[in-house]
């Protein structure tokens, strides 16, 4: 954690990102645009983020949440679709080419796979001196080599290594070279995109400790991206949790670990091994993977996977039963049900397959709890909907289930609220003005 060698600036944060969006348009040829078939991947969709001088901000989320796209857009390796990136008060999103150059020096990136970001046919010396030459630092090759030497020593490597090529090093050493390269231009902000994910656990600890040392020595600010909260806990002063292109919770690191408010954060945290037995919670298993940002779920993007999704006020059963019904509904909507495959699976066990057999098999395969766990009216809706699917009436099935398994979480995007200073959460359960009854028990998790 940073020792804040440089006092925070009085002039506001070092970096202030507001409403940042990065959308990728696919199938973007003339005909697609003419017929409206172009599809938009909303990889980053309205992110606000601040980083103070000398601070480390962790960004965490599963694969596909948009972390790398956010990192690359903030570093201006990608052009934003919308929003602002203010660095020391200057709007970077408006700068290009020559005007951006001084900021490219001040904002450096460290990548997950150091080998693919280091030129294979350049020696380490050349890799470290090339950026100095580009930015006109050092009066001679010797002076630049001296600067490179000091950085290679700072990251714990031997100056004699400057003559070697990247592939002659271990993964941990390659990442040290990546860090040395980021340091050569004396940046004020480093964006580290999963810098330890590809390394063995023991090597991870060494690299994290090196980054912590460098940060407290030089007072650099770091945006540290990881999918693993235990890594984030070790390095970050504050944490932002990202899901499907948005930040769903942010808080000082200790507050986030002590009192996580968003169900997604809780699920991520439950998979972090804890040393203190009294703080251990049962593992919350999230079903499925992050949905495609081509077609994000309505309302709260997390609701289809949320262990705490809010049932309607008149739901007569428990939360787990509701969640099973909601998942059944979503699955029937997104998956083409292959009745022949169902029939095939029944073939061996049943002599003559009736529509009722097919219906029961469909329910058994798709509903995550036994049918009798659902309250009677919901049970009937599931049976009726499954019958409609077997009869080829997918739309009727969808409408039956939508009437029964409805959640306020799918209707409205949650507002971001701040239950305690600096702790911001976007979840209907936390927002006192949210629809539905946020106090309904969350059920067994
Ligand atoms: N150039 C691109 N064109 C289209 N879609 C893209 C592009 N780059 C990223 N995406 C999509 O944007 C989403 C976010 O990707 P991103 O790599 O930023 O996520 P991530 O959280 O960093 O995941 P990972 O840890 O796996 O890299 C993904 O669905 C990805 O497929």
């Amino acid at each position: 954690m940073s020792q804040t060698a440089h006092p925070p600036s009085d002039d506001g944060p070092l970096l202030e990102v507001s409403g940042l969006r990065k959308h990728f348009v696919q199938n973007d040829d003339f005909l697609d645009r003419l017929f409206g078939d172009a599809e938009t991947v909303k990889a980053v969709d309205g992110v606000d983020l601040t980083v103070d001088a000398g601070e480390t901000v962790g960004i965490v989320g599963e694969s596909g949440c948009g972390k790398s796209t956010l990192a690359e857009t903030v570093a201006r390796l990608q052009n934003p679709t919308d929003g602002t990136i203010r660095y020391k008060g200057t709007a970077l999103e408006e700068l290009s080419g020559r005007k951006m150059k001084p900021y490219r020096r001040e904002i450096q990136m460290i990548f997950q796979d150091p080998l693919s970001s280091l030129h294979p046919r350049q020696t380490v010396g050349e890799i470290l001196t090339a950026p100095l030459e580009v930015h006109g630092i050092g009066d001679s090759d010797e002076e630049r080599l001296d600067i490179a030497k000091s950085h290679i020593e700072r990251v714990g490597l031997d100056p004699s290594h400057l003559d070697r090529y990247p592939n002659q090093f271990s993964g941990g050493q390659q990442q040290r070279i990546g860090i040395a390269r980021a340091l050569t231009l004396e940046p004020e902000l480093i964006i580290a995109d999963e810098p330890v994910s590809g390394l063995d656990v023991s090597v991870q600890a060494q690299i994290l400790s090196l980054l912590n040392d460098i940060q407290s020595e030089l007072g650099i600010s770091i945006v540290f991206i990881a999918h693993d909260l235990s890594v984030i806990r070790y390095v970050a002063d504050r944490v932002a949790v990202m899901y499907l292109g948005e930040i769903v919770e942010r808080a000082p690191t200790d507050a986030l670990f002590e009192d996580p408010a968003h169900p997604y954060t809780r699920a991520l945290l439950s998979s972090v091994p804890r040393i203190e037995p009294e703080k251990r919670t049962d593992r919350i298993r999230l079903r499925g993977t992050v949905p495609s940002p081509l077609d994000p779920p309505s309302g709260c993007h997390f609701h289809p996977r949320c262990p705490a999704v809010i049932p309607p006020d008149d739901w007569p059963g428990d939360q787990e039963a509701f969640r099973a019904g909601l998942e059944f509904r979503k699955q029937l909507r997104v998956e083409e049900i292959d009745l022949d495959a169902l029939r095939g699976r029944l073939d061996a066990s049943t002599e003559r397959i009736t529509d009722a057999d097919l219906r029961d098999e469909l329910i058994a395969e798709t509903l995550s709890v036994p049918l009798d766990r659902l309250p009677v009216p919901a049970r009937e809706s599931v049976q009726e909907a499954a019958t409609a699917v077997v009869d080829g009436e997918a739309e009727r099935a969808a409408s039956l289930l939508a009437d029964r398994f409805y959640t306020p979480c799918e209707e409205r995007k949650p507002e971001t609220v701040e239950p305690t200073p600096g702790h911001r959460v976007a979840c209907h359960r936390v927002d006192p003005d949210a629809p539905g009854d946020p106090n309904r028990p969350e059920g067994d998790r």
Side-chain angles (χ1 to χ4, degrees):
M1 206 159 292
S2 77
Q3 303 303 307
T4 324
H6 290 170
S9 153
D10 290 339
D11 304 319
L14 181 74
L15 176 77
E16 187 168 18
V17 171
S18 306
L20 193 69
R21 292 193 156 74
K22 178 63 191 175
H23 295 175
F24 299 102
V25 179
Q26 293 187 327
N27 306 339
D28 190 24
D29 64 22
F30 172 72
L31 286 178
D32 289 327
R33 268 176 280 151
L34 189 67
F35 293 109
D37 285 343
E39 296 176 314
T40 307
V41 179
K42 296 176 179 168
V44 174
D45 204 24
V47 163
D48 297 336
L49 187 74
T50 58
V51 182
D52 288 330
E55 183 187 40
T56 298
V57 174
I59 297 181
V60 70
E62 291 163 287
S63 181
C65 282
K67 306 178 298 295
S68 294
T69 308
L70 174 64
E72 288 170 15
T73 311
V74 169
R76 285 298 316 276
L77 302 181
Q78 309 230 28
N79 286 328
T81 307
D82 198 9
T84 57
I85 307 162
R86 288 197 167 268
Y87 175 78
K88 292 183 180 168
T90 302
L92 296 190
E93 75 283 357
E94 288 167 7
L95 304 183
S96 58
R98 207 166 41 83
K99 291 202 175 134
M100 187 59 206
K101 194 172 166 188
Y103 298 100
R104 295 212 182 280
R105 177 179 168 180
E106 289 193 29
I107 304 174
Q108 290 289 310
M109 276 200 76
I110 301 173
F111 299 94
Q112 173 176 353
D113 178 5
L115 194 55
S116 66
S117 67
L118 300 172
H119 197 302
R121 279 193 289 278
Q122 283 186 334
T123 63
V124 173
E126 287 163 343
I127 288 169
L128 298 190
T129 52
L132 297 172
E133 242 180 299
V134 170
H135 286 271
I137 298 166
D139 290 333
S140 63
D141 288 350
E142 270 148 29
E143 198 180 328
R144 283 187 276 274
L145 209 56
D146 280 344
I147 298 175
K149 262 186 202 154
S150 71
H151 289 299
I152 209 76
E153 279 175 330
R154 169 169 273 138
V155 299
L157 295 176
D158 193 295
S160 66
H161 289 158
L162 288 174
D163 293 331
R164 298 195 192 163
Y165 290 89
N167 65 5
Q168 295 176 281
F169 294 90
S170 68
Q173 288 173 323
Q174 286 164 358
Q175 195 53 290
R176 286 175 192 267
I177 298 166
I179 295 170
R181 183 185 52 184
L183 291 178
T184 50
L185 293 174
E186 300 185 350
E188 295 200 29
L189 173 65
I190 289 183
I191 300 179
D193 187 3
E194 302 259 14
V196 298
S197 310
L199 305 174
D200 291 345
V201 175
S202 61
V203 183
Q204 281 191 4
Q206 293 166 11
I207 298 290
L208 291 175
S209 154
L210 172 67
L211 283 170
N212 267 347
D213 291 348
I214 285 171
Q215 202 218 23
S216 47
E217 226 178 276
L218 305 177
I220 297 174
S221 303
I222 303 182
V223 174
F224 192 104
I225 290 172
H227 61 268
D228 181 350
L229 263 169
S230 52
V231 167
I232 290 279
R233 181 172 210 179
Y234 187 71
V235 293
D237 301 298
R238 283 189 300 129
V239 186
V241 181
M242 196 164 180
Y243 190 76
L244 212 50
E246 301 172 341
I247 305 284
V248 296
E249 181 165 10
R250 76 190 71 215
T253 307
D254 288 344
L256 190 99
F257 275 79
E258 286 303 316
D259 194 16
H262 198 287
Y264 182 56
T265 313
R266 281 196 233 142
L268 293 181
L269 260 176
S270 76
S271 61
V272 174
R274 296 248 180 165
I275 299 164
E276 317 94 305
E278 72 282 2
K279 290 197 179 151
R280 255 177 235 152
T281 51
D282 286 342
R283 175 95 193 254
I284 304 167
R285 289 188 192 281
L286 288 177
R287 294 209 182 97
T289 51
V290 180
S292 164
L294 260 178
D295 183 20
S298 64
C300 169
H301 288 347
F302 185 54
H303 85 260
R305 298 173 77 204
C306 181
V309 65
I310 302 172
D313 289 342
D314 58 357
W315 173 251
D318 64 33
Q319 214 265 350
E320 192 193 352
F322 174 72
R323 223 178 336 137
L326 187 67
E327 275 167 18
F328 181 79
R329 173 190 152 201
K330 301 272 173 193
Q331 236 163 308
L332 250 49
R333 192 171 69 92
V334 294
E335 269 176 32
E336 189 87 7
I337 302 295
D338 186 345
L339 294 176
D340 287 338
L342 267 185
R343 223 172 255 119
R345 284 195 285 281
L346 278 173
D347 233 352
S349 52
T350 320
E351 262 178 27
R352 201 177 145 273
I353 299 165
T354 63
D355 280 358
D357 294 331
L358 272 178
R359 177 200 67 190
D360 293 345
E361 182 65 12
L362 172 62
I363 294 171
E365 280 196 2
T366 319
L367 189 69
S368 63
V369 296
L371 186 60
D372 59 12
R373 276 281 276 106
L374 300 187
V376 174
R379 209 179 296 170
E380 286 168 2
S381 299
V382 164
Q383 283 178 314
E384 238 183 290
T387 305
V389 171
V390 170
D391 291 345
E393 297 175 32
E395 272 183 32
R396 199 169 82 81
S399 126
L400 276 165
L401 293 171
D403 285 346
R404 180 68 64 196
F405 301 105
Y406 153 82
T407 167
C409 300
E410 68 190 313
E411 185 142 278
R412 216 167 74 178
K413 213 174 196 22
E415 298 288 333
T416 298
V417 294
E418 195 164 357
T420 53
H423 193 156
R424 293 165 66 82
V425 193
C427 172
H428 290 309
R429 285 255 181 210
V430 181
D431 182 359
D433 299 327
D437 177 5
N439 297 319
R440 282 192 71 102
E442 293 183 21
D444 308 328
R445 281 186 279 114

